Amino acid sequence: MKILEDLLVETIAKSELINRILHTLKDLNLPFEYYVGAGCITNTVWNDISDYPLEYGISDVDIVYYDPSNITPEGEKNFRDSVLNLLGDFKFKVDIKNQARVHLWYEDKFGFSIKPYHSLESAIDSWPTTATALGLRLEPGGSYKIYAPYGLDDLFSMVVRPNKLMITREIFEKKANKWRKKWPKLLVVSW
């Protein structure tokens, strides 16, 4: 695992996009845990492996945090506005979600309710695939904190495996088919 963690850090260090986000967030000295995660990290790795431009196929940058002391939409919006203000002219949509409030809107968006997450990591544990259940951040001292509950093997092997903890077959297959069009080398494990 350590070798793959080092490889992940090495790959991410090549991305101006991801580094800009990571440094911006680190400099905020936030009072809560956060990660940059999911697609933007996964896609950057797949792009590097595939010899594509590092920003190819990235639709947005996901920043997730956990602040149970403020689960209002306004609190989330204020944090998003602060980050966007610091980033200034930024090429990609930035999607910022307080994982402590996901249960409040999840059913409206996905058609079924979920229990509140008890931590930021429990939220990442439920993400749709083993390769995208991933978060990283830059710590104050400059080291990287990586959270990958299913390891990094699938990510670096370009394997898309369903994480059935919460996702439906329909959501998984829609994501997998979209990704396979962009990264034909992906091996999609059937449901």
Side-chain angles (χ1 to χ4, degrees):
M1 177 83 163
K2 177 72 171 122
I3 292 171
L4 291 181
E5 285 181 357
D6 291 345
L7 185 56
L8 177 61
V9 169
E10 185 180 304
T11 303
I12 294 306
K14 299 176 194 177
S15 170
E16 183 181 325
L17 163 78
I18 304 294
N19 276 289
R20 186 170 166 197
I21 292 279
L22 290 171
H23 283 277
T24 297
L25 291 168
K26 178 184 75 79
D27 292 345
L28 285 173
N29 293 314
L30 296 167
F32 44 74
E33 297 252 312
Y34 71 90
Y35 289 105
V36 175
C40 67
I41 304 298
T42 304
N43 299 163
T44 300
V45 170
W46 290 346
N47 287 336
D48 193 53
I49 292 168
S50 303
D51 291 323
Y52 294 167
L54 291 180
E55 296 176 358
Y56 169 78
I58 296 174
S59 57
D60 64 4
V61 174
D62 291 302
I63 300 169
V64 292
Y65 69 102
Y66 193 81
D67 183 7
S69 70
N70 186 352
I71 60 170
T72 66
E74 296 79 22
E76 194 174 82
K77 181 186 180 314
N78 290 340
F79 178 46
R80 181 182 314 111
D81 291 347
S82 297
V83 171
L84 292 176
N85 186 47
L86 289 170
L87 288 173
D89 182 28
F90 195 69
K91 182 176 181 174
F92 293 98
K93 176 185 170 201
V94 178
D95 188 18
I96 299 176
K97 296 276 190 290
N98 182 357
Q99 299 300 291
R101 67 178 305 277
V102 169
H103 65 284
L104 299 174
W105 54 261
Y106 196 92
E107 184 172 10
D108 287 340
K109 183 169 183 176
F110 293 106
F112 58 95
S113 64
I114 62 170
K115 293 179 181 175
Y117 294 123
H118 62 272
S119 69
L120 183 52
E121 287 76 13
S122 69
I124 294 173
D125 291 348
S126 73
W127 288 358
T129 73
T130 56
T132 58
L134 168 66
L136 80 127
R137 69 175 172 258
L138 193 55
E139 297 284 68
S143 63
Y144 287 85
K145 167 78 174 175
I146 298 169
Y147 184 70
Y150 306 104
L152 297 171
D153 289 335
D154 283 352
L155 172 65
F156 282 98
S157 299
M158 295 186 73
V159 171
V160 178
R161 185 182 318 276
N163 174 13
K164 297 180 181 181
L165 190 63
M166 194 169 71
I167 193 173
T168 65
R169 180 179 187 154
E170 179 185 23
I171 293 169
F172 170 74
E173 289 177 350
K174 183 178 177 183
K175 285 183 177 296
N177 289 332
K178 178 180 81 169
W179 292 336
R180 196 183 326 204
K181 289 176 185 169
K182 293 178 182 177
W183 296 276
K185 293 179 184 178
L186 289 176
L187 170 64
V188 175
V189 176
S190 63
W191 184 267

